[in-house]
Amino acid sequence: MTIERIGSNDRMSKIVKHNGTIYLCGQTASDPDWDMKEQTQRCLDKIDALLAEAGSERNKILSTTIYVRDMKDFADMNAVWDAWVAEGEKPARACVEARMARPDILVEFTVVAAQ
């Protein structure tokens, strides 16, 4: 069983593939001026791109963990998420409030998908 690491640096890999499963590193938005909806959409766009690079797509997501800085933004994040995930293709999901690495990060996603 081979492990393939894509986009590695000193600390992590953007994508890890093992035994038909794809693991993505945490995805955050890059502009501190974006609100929760915009940050969420930008994260999901990055997830789409990484999944394509790994040979997968969003309908193959098995599980997602979502970290939000403040649960007051939960509804805004969900509005974007709900529009992005197709009916009948919803992955297992957890969402937790968390202290972020930088105060301007409102949301972060980690994803596990099938290849």
Side-chain angles (χ1 to χ4, degrees), residues 73-110:
D73 294 324
F74 185 70
D76 285 343
M77 180 277 299
N78 271 329
V80 178
W81 169 265
D82 291 343
W84 185 76
V85 179
E87 196 59 43
E89 297 177 351
K90 312 252 190 260
R93 188 184 109 161
C95 184
V96 297
E97 186 175 79
R99 189 178 320 188
M100 301 302 201
R102 295 187 328 260
D104 56 305
I105 296 173
L106 303 179
V107 65
E108 182 171 352
F109 291 79
T110 61

mmCIF file of all heavy atoms in Angstrom, residues 73-110:
data_model
loop_
_atom_site.group_PDB
_atom_site.id
_atom_site.type_symbol
_atom_site.label_atom_id
_atom_site.label_comp_id
_atom_site.label_asym_id
_atom_site.label_seq_id
_atom_site.Cartn_x
_atom_site.Cartn_y
_atom_site.Cartn_z
ATOM 1 N N ASP A 73 -21.820 32.495 13.536
ATOM 2 C CA ASP A 73 -21.715 32.466 12.076
ATOM 3 C C ASP A 73 -22.141 31.126 11.473
ATOM 4 O O ASP A 73 -22.019 30.925 10.265
ATOM 5 C CB ASP A 73 -20.268 32.766 11.653
ATOM 6 C CG ASP A 73 -19.849 34.175 11.993
ATOM 7 O OD1 ASP A 73 -20.684 35.094 11.897
ATOM 8 O OD2 ASP A 73 -18.672 34.369 12.356
ATOM 9 N N PHE A 74 -22.626 30.220 12.295
ATOM 10 C CA PHE A 74 -22.990 28.866 11.856
ATOM 11 C C PHE A 74 -24.011 28.884 10.714
ATOM 12 O O PHE A 74 -23.855 28.187 9.714
ATOM 13 C CB PHE A 74 -23.529 28.089 13.057
ATOM 14 C CG PHE A 74 -23.848 26.648 12.799
ATOM 15 C CD1 PHE A 74 -22.847 25.724 12.575
ATOM 16 C CD2 PHE A 74 -25.166 26.210 12.816
ATOM 17 C CE1 PHE A 74 -23.145 24.378 12.365
ATOM 18 C CE2 PHE A 74 -25.473 24.870 12.601
ATOM 19 C CZ PHE A 74 -24.458 23.962 12.366
ATOM 20 N N ALA A 75 -25.044 29.705 10.824
ATOM 21 C CA ALA A 75 -26.095 29.752 9.795
ATOM 22 C C ALA A 75 -25.546 30.262 8.462
ATOM 23 O O ALA A 75 -25.901 29.739 7.396
ATOM 24 C CB ALA A 75 -27.262 30.612 10.265
ATOM 25 N N ASP A 76 -24.678 31.279 8.499
ATOM 26 C CA ASP A 76 -24.097 31.800 7.257
ATOM 27 C C ASP A 76 -23.218 30.750 6.588
ATOM 28 O O ASP A 76 -23.251 30.587 5.360
ATOM 29 C CB ASP A 76 -23.279 33.063 7.533
ATOM 30 C CG ASP A 76 -24.149 34.279 7.793
ATOM 31 O OD1 ASP A 76 -25.352 34.257 7.461
ATOM 32 O OD2 ASP A 76 -23.612 35.266 8.333
ATOM 33 N N MET A 77 -22.421 30.044 7.375
ATOM 34 C CA MET A 77 -21.584 28.979 6.808
ATOM 35 C C MET A 77 -22.471 27.899 6.194
ATOM 36 O O MET A 77 -22.248 27.447 5.074
ATOM 37 C CB MET A 77 -20.669 28.383 7.894
ATOM 38 C CG MET A 77 -19.758 27.267 7.422
ATOM 39 S SD MET A 77 -20.510 25.628 7.354
ATOM 40 C CE MET A 77 -20.962 25.373 9.057
ATOM 41 N N ASN A 78 -23.505 27.498 6.915
ATOM 42 C CA ASN A 78 -24.397 26.446 6.418
ATOM 43 C C ASN A 78 -25.130 26.848 5.144
ATOM 44 O O ASN A 78 -25.396 25.999 4.291
ATOM 45 C CB ASN A 78 -25.407 26.047 7.490
ATOM 46 C CG ASN A 78 -24.890 24.951 8.378
ATOM 47 O OD1 ASN A 78 -24.108 24.105 7.975
ATOM 48 N ND2 ASN A 78 -25.332 24.964 9.622
ATOM 49 N N ALA A 79 -25.469 28.119 4.996
ATOM 50 C CA ALA A 79 -26.159 28.573 3.782
ATOM 51 C C ALA A 79 -25.302 28.302 2.546
ATOM 52 O O ALA A 79 -25.799 27.829 1.516
ATOM 53 C CB ALA A 79 -26.501 30.056 3.895
ATOM 54 N N VAL A 80 -24.012 28.557 2.654
ATOM 55 C CA VAL A 80 -23.096 28.316 1.531
ATOM 56 C C VAL A 80 -22.855 26.821 1.372
ATOM 57 O O VAL A 80 -22.902 26.282 0.257
ATOM 58 C CB VAL A 80 -21.771 29.080 1.741
ATOM 59 C CG1 VAL A 80 -20.805 28.796 0.609
ATOM 60 C CG2 VAL A 80 -22.040 30.579 1.869
ATOM 61 N N TRP A 81 -22.613 26.129 2.457
ATOM 62 C CA TRP A 81 -22.390 24.676 2.423
ATOM 63 C C TRP A 81 -23.569 23.959 1.785
ATOM 64 O O TRP A 81 -23.395 23.106 0.913
ATOM 65 C CB TRP A 81 -22.154 24.168 3.846
ATOM 66 C CG TRP A 81 -22.168 22.678 3.976
ATOM 67 C CD1 TRP A 81 -23.246 21.897 4.329
ATOM 68 C CD2 TRP A 81 -21.090 21.771 3.752
ATOM 69 N NE1 TRP A 81 -22.883 20.569 4.339
ATOM 70 C CE2 TRP A 81 -21.564 20.470 3.987
ATOM 71 C CE3 TRP A 81 -19.763 21.937 3.383
ATOM 72 C CZ2 TRP A 81 -20.765 19.354 3.862
ATOM 73 C CZ3 TRP A 81 -18.966 20.808 3.263
ATOM 74 C CH2 TRP A 81 -19.466 19.542 3.498
ATOM 75 N N ASP A 82 -24.783 24.292 2.215
ATOM 76 C CA ASP A 82 -25.979 23.612 1.714
ATOM 77 C C ASP A 82 -26.151 23.789 0.211
ATOM 78 O O ASP A 82 -26.624 22.879 -0.477
ATOM 79 C CB ASP A 82 -27.223 24.096 2.453
ATOM 80 C CG ASP A 82 -27.258 23.651 3.911
ATOM 81 O OD1 ASP A 82 -26.512 22.722 4.286
ATOM 82 O OD2 ASP A 82 -28.033 24.253 4.684
ATOM 83 N N ALA A 83 -25.769 24.947 -0.312
ATOM 84 C CA ALA A 83 -25.860 25.187 -1.754
ATOM 85 C C ALA A 83 -24.769 24.440 -2.519
ATOM 86 O O ALA A 83 -24.940 24.122 -3.698
ATOM 87 C CB ALA A 83 -25.760 26.690 -2.035
ATOM 88 N N TRP A 84 -23.662 24.142 -1.858
ATOM 89 C CA TRP A 84 -22.514 23.497 -2.506
ATOM 90 C C TRP A 84 -22.643 21.981 -2.572
ATOM 91 O O TRP A 84 -22.227 21.359 -3.548
ATOM 92 C CB TRP A 84 -21.244 23.896 -1.739
ATOM 93 C CG TRP A 84 -19.953 23.428 -2.304
ATOM 94 C CD1 TRP A 84 -19.300 23.929 -3.392
ATOM 95 C CD2 TRP A 84 -19.116 22.384 -1.783
ATOM 96 N NE1 TRP A 84 -18.098 23.263 -3.575
ATOM 97 C CE2 TRP A 84 -17.966 22.312 -2.593
ATOM 98 C CE3 TRP A 84 -19.223 21.511 -0.701
ATOM 99 C CZ2 TRP A 84 -16.947 21.393 -2.366
ATOM 100 C CZ3 TRP A 84 -18.200 20.608 -0.482
ATOM 101 C CH2 TRP A 84 -17.079 20.564 -1.312
ATOM 102 N N VAL A 85 -23.219 21.370 -1.548
ATOM 103 C CA VAL A 85 -23.327 19.911 -1.498
ATOM 104 C C VAL A 85 -24.653 19.485 -2.120
ATOM 105 O O VAL A 85 -25.713 19.938 -1.698
ATOM 106 C CB VAL A 85 -23.222 19.396 -0.044
ATOM 107 C CG1 VAL A 85 -23.369 17.889 0.000
ATOM 108 C CG2 VAL A 85 -21.914 19.808 0.585
ATOM 109 N N ALA A 86 -24.572 18.614 -3.106
ATOM 110 C CA ALA A 86 -25.775 18.174 -3.817
ATOM 111 C C ALA A 86 -26.646 17.287 -2.927
ATOM 112 O O ALA A 86 -26.148 16.564 -2.060
ATOM 113 C CB ALA A 86 -25.379 17.415 -5.076
ATOM 114 N N GLU A 87 -27.931 17.345 -3.169
ATOM 115 C CA GLU A 87 -28.878 16.490 -2.456
ATOM 116 C C GLU A 87 -28.517 15.026 -2.717
ATOM 117 O O GLU A 87 -28.167 14.650 -3.827
ATOM 118 C CB GLU A 87 -30.300 16.775 -2.942
ATOM 119 C CG GLU A 87 -31.371 16.239 -2.033
ATOM 120 C CD GLU A 87 -31.285 16.809 -0.611
ATOM 121 O OE1 GLU A 87 -31.061 18.010 -0.443
ATOM 122 O OE2 GLU A 87 -31.456 16.015 0.327
ATOM 123 N N GLY A 88 -28.520 14.224 -1.687
ATOM 124 C CA GLY A 88 -28.194 12.814 -1.814
ATOM 125 C C GLY A 88 -26.698 12.521 -1.780
ATOM 126 O O GLY A 88 -26.300 11.367 -1.880
ATOM 127 N N GLU A 89 -25.858 13.553 -1.660
ATOM 128 C CA GLU A 89 -24.407 13.369 -1.660
ATOM 129 C C GLU A 89 -23.762 14.003 -0.431
ATOM 130 O O GLU A 89 -22.599 14.363 -0.436
ATOM 131 C CB GLU A 89 -23.795 13.952 -2.931
ATOM 132 C CG GLU A 89 -24.293 13.244 -4.178
ATOM 133 C CD GLU A 89 -23.752 13.839 -5.464
ATOM 134 O OE1 GLU A 89 -23.116 14.908 -5.427
ATOM 135 O OE2 GLU A 89 -23.979 13.230 -6.509
ATOM 136 N N LYS A 90 -24.515 14.143 0.630
ATOM 137 C CA LYS A 90 -24.015 14.778 1.848
ATOM 138 C C LYS A 90 -23.065 13.821 2.582
ATOM 139 O O LYS A 90 -23.403 12.679 2.834
ATOM 140 C CB LYS A 90 -25.174 15.147 2.765
ATOM 141 C CG LYS A 90 -26.311 15.874 2.050
ATOM 142 C CD LYS A 90 -26.360 17.299 2.419
ATOM 143 C CE LYS A 90 -27.612 17.970 1.915
ATOM 144 N NZ LYS A 90 -27.462 18.727 0.734
ATOM 145 N N PRO A 91 -21.864 14.305 2.914
ATOM 146 C CA PRO A 91 -20.915 13.456 3.646
ATOM 147 C C PRO A 91 -21.228 13.432 5.140
ATOM 148 O O PRO A 91 -22.028 14.236 5.632
ATOM 149 C CB PRO A 91 -19.578 14.158 3.399
ATOM 150 C CG PRO A 91 -19.949 15.594 3.269
ATOM 151 C CD PRO A 91 -21.285 15.601 2.578
ATOM 152 N N ALA A 92 -20.584 12.548 5.850
ATOM 153 C CA ALA A 92 -20.599 12.628 7.308
ATOM 154 C C ALA A 92 -19.931 13.952 7.661
ATOM 155 O O ALA A 92 -19.011 14.402 6.969
ATOM 156 C CB ALA A 92 -19.821 11.455 7.902
ATOM 157 N N ARG A 93 -20.412 14.607 8.735
ATOM 158 C CA ARG A 93 -19.903 15.948 9.012
ATOM 159 C C ARG A 93 -19.912 16.234 10.500
ATOM 160 O O ARG A 93 -20.800 15.793 11.223
ATOM 161 C CB ARG A 93 -20.789 16.973 8.297
ATOM 162 C CG ARG A 93 -20.258 18.383 8.355
ATOM 163 C CD ARG A 93 -21.236 19.340 7.725
ATOM 164 N NE ARG A 93 -21.841 20.142 8.770
ATOM 165 C CZ ARG A 93 -22.446 21.286 8.585
ATOM 166 N NH1 ARG A 93 -22.577 21.786 7.363
ATOM 167 N NH2 ARG A 93 -22.966 21.954 9.583
ATOM 168 N N ALA A 94 -18.896 16.980 10.920
ATOM 169 C CA ALA A 94 -18.865 17.531 12.274
ATOM 170 C C ALA A 94 -18.532 19.010 12.144
ATOM 171 O O ALA A 94 -17.807 19.416 11.238
ATOM 172 C CB ALA A 94 -17.803 16.825 13.123
ATOM 173 N N CYS A 95 -19.087 19.800 13.038
ATOM 174 C CA CYS A 95 -18.790 21.229 13.049
ATOM 175 C C CYS A 95 -18.557 21.638 14.495
ATOM 176 O O CYS A 95 -19.393 21.362 15.360
ATOM 177 C CB CYS A 95 -19.936 22.023 12.436
ATOM 178 S SG CYS A 95 -19.583 23.788 12.313
ATOM 179 N N VAL A 96 -17.422 22.278 14.744
ATOM 180 C CA VAL A 96 -17.074 22.670 16.102
ATOM 181 C C VAL A 96 -16.595 24.115 16.127
ATOM 182 O O VAL A 96 -16.057 24.618 15.143
ATOM 183 C CB VAL A 96 -15.980 21.757 16.703
ATOM 184 C CG1 VAL A 96 -16.452 20.335 16.822
ATOM 185 C CG2 VAL A 96 -14.713 21.822 15.873
ATOM 186 N N GLU A 97 -16.799 24.772 17.240
ATOM 187 C CA GLU A 97 -16.237 26.096 17.450
ATOM 188 C C GLU A 97 -14.796 25.921 17.905
ATOM 189 O O GLU A 97 -14.510 25.086 18.759
ATOM 190 C CB GLU A 97 -17.053 26.839 18.500
ATOM 191 C CG GLU A 97 -16.632 28.285 18.698
ATOM 192 C CD GLU A 97 -17.554 29.004 19.658
ATOM 193 O OE1 GLU A 97 -17.390 28.811 20.883
ATOM 194 O OE2 GLU A 97 -18.431 29.735 19.188
ATOM 195 N N ALA A 98 -13.896 26.711 17.318
ATOM 196 C CA ALA A 98 -12.473 26.531 17.624
ATOM 197 C C ALA A 98 -11.726 27.859 17.569
ATOM 198 O O ALA A 98 -12.089 28.750 16.799
ATOM 199 C CB ALA A 98 -11.848 25.568 16.625
ATOM 200 N N ARG A 99 -10.696 27.949 18.367
ATOM 201 C CA ARG A 99 -9.780 29.083 18.266
ATOM 202 C C ARG A 99 -8.924 28.849 17.027
ATOM 203 O O ARG A 99 -8.335 27.781 16.863
ATOM 204 C CB ARG A 99 -8.911 29.155 19.506
ATOM 205 C CG ARG A 99 -8.094 30.425 19.550
ATOM 206 C CD ARG A 99 -7.267 30.536 20.781
ATOM 207 N NE ARG A 99 -8.005 30.071 21.951
ATOM 208 C CZ ARG A 99 -7.569 30.195 23.180
ATOM 209 N NH1 ARG A 99 -6.414 30.748 23.420
ATOM 210 N NH2 ARG A 99 -8.280 29.744 24.189
ATOM 211 N N MET A 100 -8.847 29.837 16.169
ATOM 212 C CA MET A 100 -8.131 29.693 14.898
ATOM 213 C C MET A 100 -6.676 30.140 15.025
ATOM 214 O O MET A 100 -6.306 30.849 15.955
ATOM 215 C CB MET A 100 -8.829 30.520 13.814
ATOM 216 C CG MET A 100 -10.268 30.106 13.589
ATOM 217 S SD MET A 100 -10.381 28.371 13.133
ATOM 218 C CE MET A 100 -11.960 28.335 12.355
ATOM 219 N N ALA A 101 -5.875 29.740 14.050
ATOM 220 C CA ALA A 101 -4.452 30.096 14.045
ATOM 221 C C ALA A 101 -4.247 31.606 13.927
ATOM 222 O O ALA A 101 -3.283 32.141 14.457
ATOM 223 C CB ALA A 101 -3.736 29.384 12.898
ATOM 224 N N ARG A 102 -5.169 32.278 13.217
ATOM 225 C CA ARG A 102 -5.152 33.741 13.096
ATOM 226 C C ARG A 102 -6.562 34.255 13.383
ATOM 227 O O ARG A 102 -7.542 33.607 13.009
ATOM 228 C CB ARG A 102 -4.744 34.169 11.686
ATOM 229 C CG ARG A 102 -3.335 33.801 11.291
ATOM 230 C CD ARG A 102 -2.929 34.416 9.931
ATOM 231 N NE ARG A 102 -4.014 34.570 8.985
ATOM 232 C CZ ARG A 102 -4.278 33.731 7.969
ATOM 233 N NH1 ARG A 102 -3.546 32.648 7.795
ATOM 234 N NH2 ARG A 102 -5.277 33.958 7.147
ATOM 235 N N PRO A 103 -6.688 35.419 13.982
ATOM 236 C CA PRO A 103 -8.023 35.915 14.342
ATOM 237 C C PRO A 103 -8.913 36.255 13.150
ATOM 238 O O PRO A 103 -10.141 36.295 13.293
ATOM 239 C CB PRO A 103 -7.734 37.162 15.181
ATOM 240 C CG PRO A 103 -6.330 37.536 14.888
ATOM 241 C CD PRO A 103 -5.617 36.292 14.458
ATOM 242 N N ASP A 104 -8.341 36.460 11.961
ATOM 243 C CA ASP A 104 -9.147 36.792 10.784
ATOM 244 C C ASP A 104 -9.718 35.556 10.086
ATOM 245 O O ASP A 104 -10.542 35.677 9.191
ATOM 246 C CB ASP A 104 -8.339 37.637 9.799
ATOM 247 C CG ASP A 104 -7.035 36.970 9.378
ATOM 248 O OD1 ASP A 104 -6.245 36.613 10.270
ATOM 249 O OD2 ASP A 104 -6.817 36.821 8.167
ATOM 250 N N ILE A 105 -9.311 34.370 10.496
ATOM 251 C CA ILE A 105 -9.861 33.135 9.922
ATOM 252 C C ILE A 105 -11.175 32.838 10.632
ATOM 253 O O ILE A 105 -11.217 32.665 11.845
ATOM 254 C CB ILE A 105 -8.885 31.956 10.088
ATOM 255 C CG1 ILE A 105 -7.594 32.209 9.312
ATOM 256 C CG2 ILE A 105 -9.545 30.651 9.631
ATOM 257 C CD1 ILE A 105 -6.511 31.172 9.560
ATOM 258 N N LEU A 106 -12.248 32.777 9.856
ATOM 259 C CA LEU A 106 -13.574 32.514 10.419
ATOM 260 C C LEU A 106 -13.973 31.056 10.317
ATOM 261 O O LEU A 106 -14.801 30.586 11.098
ATOM 262 C CB LEU A 106 -14.624 33.378 9.706
ATOM 263 C CG LEU A 106 -14.389 34.892 9.732
ATOM 264 C CD1 LEU A 106 -15.496 35.594 8.960
ATOM 265 C CD2 LEU A 106 -14.296 35.402 11.155
ATOM 266 N N VAL A 107 -13.387 30.330 9.341
ATOM 267 C CA VAL A 107 -13.785 28.949 9.097
ATOM 268 C C VAL A 107 -12.621 28.168 8.486
ATOM 269 O O VAL A 107 -11.801 28.731 7.775
ATOM 270 C CB VAL A 107 -15.037 28.897 8.174
ATOM 271 C CG1 VAL A 107 -14.741 29.445 6.797
ATOM 272 C CG2 VAL A 107 -15.635 27.508 8.100
ATOM 273 N N GLU A 108 -12.572 26.882 8.817
ATOM 274 C CA GLU A 108 -11.579 25.981 8.233
ATOM 275 C C GLU A 108 -12.240 24.626 8.008
ATOM 276 O O GLU A 108 -13.024 24.158 8.842
ATOM 277 C CB GLU A 108 -10.374 25.827 9.159
ATOM 278 C CG GLU A 108 -9.294 24.935 8.592
ATOM 279 C CD GLU A 108 -8.005 24.945 9.404
ATOM 280 O OE1 GLU A 108 -7.878 25.763 10.338
ATOM 281 O OE2 GLU A 108 -7.123 24.112 9.099
ATOM 282 N N PHE A 109 -11.923 24.004 6.874
ATOM 283 C CA PHE A 109 -12.489 22.704 6.507
ATOM 284 C C PHE A 109 -11.386 21.667 6.363
ATOM 285 O O PHE A 109 -10.348 21.958 5.770
ATOM 286 C CB PHE A 109 -13.187 22.799 5.141
ATOM 287 C CG PHE A 109 -14.433 23.623 5.116
ATOM 288 C CD1 PHE A 109 -14.360 25.002 5.074
ATOM 289 C CD2 PHE A 109 -15.670 23.021 5.148
ATOM 290 C CE1 PHE A 109 -15.515 25.776 5.046
ATOM 291 C CE2 PHE A 109 -16.820 23.775 5.122
ATOM 292 C CZ PHE A 109 -16.744 25.158 5.069
ATOM 293 N N THR A 110 -11.610 20.472 6.864
ATOM 294 C CA THR A 110 -10.785 19.319 6.518
ATOM 295 C C THR A 110 -11.697 18.289 5.853
ATOM 296 O O THR A 110 -12.873 18.155 6.216
ATOM 297 C CB THR A 110 -10.087 18.701 7.739
ATOM 298 O OG1 THR A 110 -11.059 18.256 8.672
ATOM 299 C CG2 THR A 110 -9.146 19.687 8.398
#
